[in-house]
Amino acid sequence: MEGSKAGSFKQMLLGIDATTEEEYASQSRLLQEFTGISSIDKAWIFKSDSGIGSQAMFLISQPNLLANKRKKFILSSHVLRESNNSVNFQWAQFPVEMTGVSAMVPSPSGAKLLVVRDPEKESPCQFEIWVRAQVEKEFHIPLSVHGSVYADGLFQGISWNSDETLIAYVAEEPCPSKPTFTGQGYKNSTSADKDFGNWTGQGDWKEEWGETYAGKQQAALFVMNINSGETQAVKGIEKSLSVGQVVWAPPVRGSHQYLVFVGWSEGTRKLGIKYCFNRPCALYAARAPNFESEADGPELKDSSTEDSPVVILSQSITSALYPQFSPDGKFLLFLSARSAVDSGVHSATDSLHIIDWPMDGVLSSSTKIVDVIPVVMCAEDGYFPGLYCSSFLSNPWLSDGCTMILSSIWGSCQVILSVNVLSGEVLRISPTDSNFSWNVLSLDGDNIIAVSSSPVDVPHIKYGYLVDKESKDTAWSWLNVSRPTNACSDKVESLLSSLQFSILKIPIRDVSYCLTKGATKPFEAIFVSTKTKRSDPCDPLIVFLHGGPHIVSLSSFSKSLAFLSSIGFNLLIVNYRGSLGFGEEALQSLPGNIGSQDVNDVLVAIDHVIDMGLASPSKIAVLGGSHGGFLTTHLIGQAPDKFAAAATRNPACNLALMVGTTDIPDWCYVEAYGSEGKNTFTEAPSAEHLTLFHRKSPISHSSKVKTPTLILLGAQDVRLPVFTGLQYARALKEKGVPVKVIVFPNDTHAIERPKSDFESFLNIGVSFKKYLS
């Protein structure tokens, strides 16, 4: 009796019964094992001192739930190519944790390593120059010079010059001065009064680049002399320009050194830039600062201290990203997201271009831009679907000087491509018979170090080499690389070994309205299931929907989705039309048709697996975040009897509310109106606009919803502010629909802090078990 009372009291406090509590305990133990799987993020290759083989350095990360951060480690290996076409990685005994490190950039020769450490609040930024056995130099850059270094995202950029004496990088401008007040009123900046009793005002509000950039100052360009530690801002750049992705131009004897970088102009306002490649940008060239001659430092022959004009190198194109010089310095290559900029969608099919670089150092803004890879509108089955590339390696070139290696999306897979930038020839060099996803990490001469994974296989390192360099045969062979430790626990490995996956082609159902050829082709879905036959015909099905909408769910390993597969759910991961990787026509078919075409594609995919006998109609849940949450909440409203449970993270539930509060109001116009949305966009929506936004939104179907729904929200989200999801939750509660809401106070749009991500998927797993068992 006493135990029963204690149990009832606990249930009253926690809001869960004993069965659910046991489910929480069981699933949390397993989820911790999945969470502990490390990720291979980057790799660098260095020449070996002995001249035999190479030295590899891998950056590995792992969530630390207790600290609520990601730990970063460096693990080293000696790489030996054997005579029998095998490769031997001799791993260091232990990794080394890189505490507080925001960036690591080796010098071109590999003799030096720049390590940048995040400053504590109100502390200077710390630069360390490492050589083989020690920290050679350490510099602390005061906040009066600049703030934190931009080490990730579009603004990141750190580059050594060719003689390894100067480092160019992007950092936050110093904080602008704010007004100071005393008991007597305003304090003049020249006042000699003591600070006792003073207080600082807020000063003018300034636009920011939205999601994840809140509170950050303008991205500006700096150069450090590593011999003296002197740091200077690059002059001549307009204050309205945010910069990133800096590289040094090839040196010209007797001429000043130049920097090439990407610049984004804020226009009338800064719209959100995270995940948004539709922001116009251009390549610029600026003269590097002139440091005074030192005995052990660089001496610049042009001693002019006047500002030199900044040259726009890509005036004839609306987007230019990731500048990269050829090994001989004769041309400058860059990626363009002009399809996104010109159409207004946040991401689209990329193109690749080159500019001839003047060997005399005389720059011109009228240089001809040559297409290497144009935008692919519609590819035939099995052929290159277009370029979808998020960045380049720091050195992507093979020894011929004209072939670069990069990763790109091909349908539902990530693949490795070789691109001859002179002929435009594109070859898929990762295995064509594999549905795994492949990502290039580094080049070891003319060989490739990559990582390969699938929804049911943890990442493994691969080593690729050209089978016959002397012939015209372009076949690549890929070797397995032994891991230094087990990739996962024995329990996780056993669970994953019981799973399988396939990529399904889903024919579209309705071709009655006017569609381009690319939009009539089948879309894809990744299906993950158990290999074991069970008494029940089908395991419960989770339909997973990516956000964007113009991104893609890849056939790579996801710890969270693998966890859900391992607790008894099949997965249907739908890449509806509008996803990346299928050509531009299919992608551009979605704007103007959100809430209908994408919803119908998902319903068609579900019916497809039901008809194949892979899913039971009565045991289906739906899960998605952002635009995936838009679809999730649309589906439970438009097909109220189809889903037994739903879960969503930061969903777009009401575009009429979103348009006035988000950092990307233009998204609402482009996705709701289609091709005319870019020009229709205004900061003052009309009643007609708001009516259309409401009609396109899930909240217009909320009165029909019956499905128990879990809603996960980040309180710091500026893309879909928290009250967007709360409004939808309250609308469901008003109708008596079971709703559970969890708000993570310190998370942004992605809800990716380790504790938040853990609690999110634990609750998803427990909720779906409850309603689908």
Side-chain angles (χ1 to χ4, degrees):
M1 180 68 76
E2 291 300 319
S4 175
K5 284 183 179 179
S8 299
F9 181 67
K10 196 169 186 179
Q11 179 180 346
M12 181 176 67
L13 286 177
L14 298 178
I16 57 175
D17 55 37
T19 303
T20 304
E21 185 178 14
E22 178 54 37
E23 191 68 41
Y24 265 106
S26 172
Q27 288 196 26
S28 66
R29 288 191 292 269
L30 180 60
L31 182 54
Q32 280 188 313
E33 296 198 44
F34 275 94
T35 301
I37 298 172
S38 59
S39 302
I40 305 166
D41 300 330
K42 288 184 180 180
W44 299 270
I45 299 294
F46 307 92
K47 293 177 181 178
S48 176
D49 285 345
S50 66
I52 302 173
S54 309
Q55 291 294 132
M57 189 169 75
F58 291 85
L59 178 63
I60 296 171
S61 62
Q62 185 179 33
N64 182 340
L65 286 173
L66 292 179
N68 205 19
K69 295 179 179 178
R70 291 190 69 84
K71 284 190 173 184
K72 295 180 182 179
F73 306 89
I74 287 293
L75 185 61
S76 299
S77 176
H78 189 203
V79 182
L80 291 171
R81 280 293 306 277
E82 309 289 355
S83 58
N84 59 349
N85 282 333
S86 64
V87 65
N88 181 16
F89 275 59
Q90 299 174 348
W91 295 98
Q93 187 70 21
F94 300 105
V96 178
E97 184 175 0
M98 305 302 288
T99 305
V101 172
S102 61
M104 294 183 298
V105 183
S107 65
S109 70
K112 299 174 182 177
L113 177 70
L114 169 68
V115 174
V116 181
R117 296 190 185 273
D118 290 321
E120 298 293 331
K121 190 174 183 181
E122 304 300 322
S123 297
C125 197
Q126 183 175 326
F127 286 68
E128 299 168 359
I129 308 298
W130 292 14
V131 292
R132 176 167 296 279
Q134 64 185 8
V135 176
E136 184 178 63
K137 294 183 179 179
E138 182 175 319
F139 305 109
H140 293 246
I141 312 302
L143 294 175
S144 59
V145 176
H146 64 66
S148 297
V149 171
Y150 278 93
D152 57 15
L154 284 174
F155 301 130
Q156 69 173 324
I158 300 175
S159 181
W160 291 79
N161 72 340
S162 59
D163 64 9
E164 303 184 357
T165 57
L166 302 175
I167 298 173
Y169 59 95
V170 180
E172 294 183 57
E173 287 183 339
C175 290
S177 59
K178 296 181 178 180
T180 302
F181 302 94
T182 69
Q184 305 300 315
Y186 176 72
K187 178 183 176 182
N188 192 296
S189 59
T190 59
S191 172
D193 293 346
K194 294 182 179 180
D195 289 342
F196 181 75
N198 294 351
W199 55 279
T200 303
Q202 295 302 310
D204 294 350
W205 175 81
K206 287 192 172 183
E207 293 276 5
E208 299 170 333
W209 284 110
E211 176 70 18
T212 74
Y213 292 102
K216 295 185 77 69
Q217 300 298 323
Q218 182 96 331
L221 190 53
F222 298 86
V223 175
M224 170 186 280
N225 181 327
I226 70 165
N227 294 308
S228 65
E230 182 185 357
T231 298
Q232 293 185 33
V234 176
K235 296 179 180 179
I237 300 174
E238 291 184 12
K239 288 292 185 182
S240 62
L241 206 64
S242 294
V243 306
Q245 303 170 22
V246 61
V247 294
W248 288 89
V252 176
R253 191 173 185 84
S255 178
H256 206 102
Q257 295 190 73
Y258 277 85
L259 297 164
V260 173
F261 59 92
V262 180
W264 292 263
S265 182
E266 63 183 78
T268 56
R269 71 163 283 188
K270 291 178 179 175
L271 292 164
I273 203 168
K274 182 78 170 180
Y275 316 117
C276 294
F277 294 90
N278 56 332
R279 308 302 173 217
C281 56
L283 292 185
Y284 296 80
R287 184 181 292 182
N290 182 6
F291 292 91
E292 293 297 325
S293 176
E294 295 179 323
D296 59 346
E299 182 174 353
L300 305 180
K301 295 188 178 182
D302 182 353
S303 59
S304 170
T305 57
E306 294 183 7
D307 288 0
S308 176
V310 173
V311 178
I312 303 176
L313 302 172
S314 58
Q315 277 191 328
S316 62
I317 197 168
T318 54
S319 170
L321 296 158
Y322 306 113
Q324 181 81 233
F325 282 96
S326 60
D328 60 9
K330 291 183 177 179
F331 57 83
L332 173 64
L333 176 137
F334 65 92
L335 191 74
S336 177
R338 62 179 177 181
S339 288
V341 174
D342 296 347
S343 67
V345 299
H346 68 90
S347 188
T349 312
D350 297 320
S351 53
L352 193 66
H353 309 268
I354 57 174
I355 297 172
D356 286 335
W357 191 254
M359 302 309 290
D360 59 1
V362 179
L363 304 181
S364 170
S365 59
S366 58
T367 305
K368 182 182 178 182
I369 295 174
V370 178
D371 294 349
V372 176
I373 301 177
V375 171
V376 175
M377 300 305 294
C378 176
E380 296 302 321
D381 294 345
Y383 286 84
F384 176 58
L387 189 61
Y388 304 90
C389 181
S390 57
S391 65
F392 298 143
L393 295 177
S394 58
N395 179 19
W397 301 100
L398 297 184
S399 60
D400 64 4
C402 61
T403 301
M404 68 183 306
I405 305 298
L406 53 84
S407 302
S408 183
I409 299 166
W410 190 306
S412 297
C413 302
Q414 187 174 41
V415 303
I416 301 176
L417 303 176
S418 73
V419 179
N420 185 309
V421 299
L422 299 182
S423 68
E425 182 184 38
V426 179
L427 297 174
R428 177 175 174 174
I429 62 175
S430 52
T432 56
D433 59 352
S434 169
N435 281 333
F436 282 46
S437 278
W438 293 68
N439 183 35
V440 60
L441 294 176
S442 186
L443 299 187
D444 182 15
D446 280 345
N447 304 320
I448 300 173
I449 294 179
V451 66
S452 172
S453 70
S454 84
V456 299
D457 296 272
V458 296
H460 280 86
I461 299 171
K462 303 285 185 176
Y463 193 89
Y465 65 93
L466 199 57
V467 174
D468 188 353
K469 293 183 181 179
E470 304 305 320
S471 74
K472 293 185 178 180
D473 184 13
T474 55
W476 284 73
S477 181
W478 294 92
L479 304 173
N480 293 318
V481 173
S482 61
R483 290 186 64 103
T485 59
N486 291 334
C488 53
S489 69
D490 292 342
K491 182 175 184 180
V492 168
E493 188 173 359
S494 175
L495 288 168
L496 292 176
S497 67
S498 69
L499 301 173
Q500 60 188 353
F501 84 100
S502 60
I503 297 178
L504 308 176
K505 298 280 188 181
I506 314 290
I508 68 169
R509 181 181 293 165
D510 183 8
V511 293
S512 59
Y513 63 100
C514 183
L515 290 174
T516 57
K517 180 181 177 182
T520 63
K521 289 181 171 291
F523 58 95
E524 291 183 355
I526 303 167
F527 186 72
V528 184
S529 62
T530 180
K531 297 175 183 175
T532 309
K533 297 294 183 183
R534 301 183 181 177
S535 55
D536 194 354
C538 300
D539 285 333
L541 178 71
I542 297 174
V543 180
F544 178 79
L545 306 170
H546 66 70
H550 308 298
I551 59 173
V552 65
S553 289
L554 293 171
S555 62
S556 55
F557 186 72
S558 160
K559 292 184 278 189
S560 302
L561 295 184
F563 161 71
L564 294 176
S565 299
S566 297
I567 59 174
F569 295 106
N570 289 345
L571 300 180
L572 182 65
I573 305 167
V574 184
N575 284 320
Y576 45 86
R577 284 173 294 167
S579 304
L580 299 179
F582 299 89
E584 188 66 5
E585 287 183 351
L587 186 145
Q588 293 290 351
S589 69
L590 183 55
N593 296 307
I594 58 167
S596 52
Q597 178 179 295
D598 45 4
V599 169
N600 289 334
D601 282 355
V602 177
L603 293 173
V604 167
I606 293 170
D607 289 345
H608 185 81
V609 293
I610 291 173
D611 292 344
M612 292 176 68
L614 301 175
S616 169
S618 62
K619 293 185 176 181
I620 301 174
V622 60
L623 165 64
S626 193
H627 188 82
F630 172 89
L631 285 175
T632 295
T633 48
H634 252 305
L635 285 160
I636 60 176
Q638 293 192 41
D641 298 315
K642 204 167 190 78
F643 302 97
T648 180
R649 290 157 55 114
N650 287 327
C653 301
N654 184 353
L655 303 191
L657 175 59
M658 174 184 171
V659 72
T661 56
T662 180
D663 64 331
I664 52 167
D666 58 321
W667 181 97
C668 300
Y669 280 87
V670 170
E671 297 300 340
Y673 278 93
S675 58
E676 63 184 276
K678 181 183 175 185
N679 295 326
T680 307
F681 168 55
T682 172
E683 296 283 2
S686 66
E688 179 186 352
H689 296 163
L690 296 173
T691 300
L692 177 68
F693 292 151
H694 184 270
R695 189 168 70 247
K696 293 274 187 178
S697 298
I699 202 161
S700 66
H701 300 279
S702 61
S703 62
K704 297 177 284 184
V705 175
K706 305 174 185 176
T707 307
T709 302
L710 170 65
I711 299 177
L712 306 158
L713 304 172
Q716 303 303 314
D717 188 357
V718 298
R719 180 122 318 161
L720 285 161
V722 65
F723 35 79
T724 309
L726 290 177
Q727 182 195 41
Y728 186 80
R730 288 162 179 154
L732 296 193
K733 286 182 178 180
E734 189 176 68
K735 298 296 181 181
V737 178
V739 178
K740 179 176 180 177
V741 178
I742 302 176
V743 177
F744 299 99
N746 298 310
D747 276 83
T748 57
H749 189 58
I751 312 185
E752 60 188 1
R753 290 157 62 90
K755 288 181 180 179
S756 307
D757 186 65
F758 181 89
E759 187 176 353
S760 293
F761 278 92
L762 176 59
N763 276 275
I764 290 167
V766 171
S767 175
F768 285 178
K769 276 285 187 181
K770 176 180 178 180
Y771 290 109
L772 272 73
S773 295

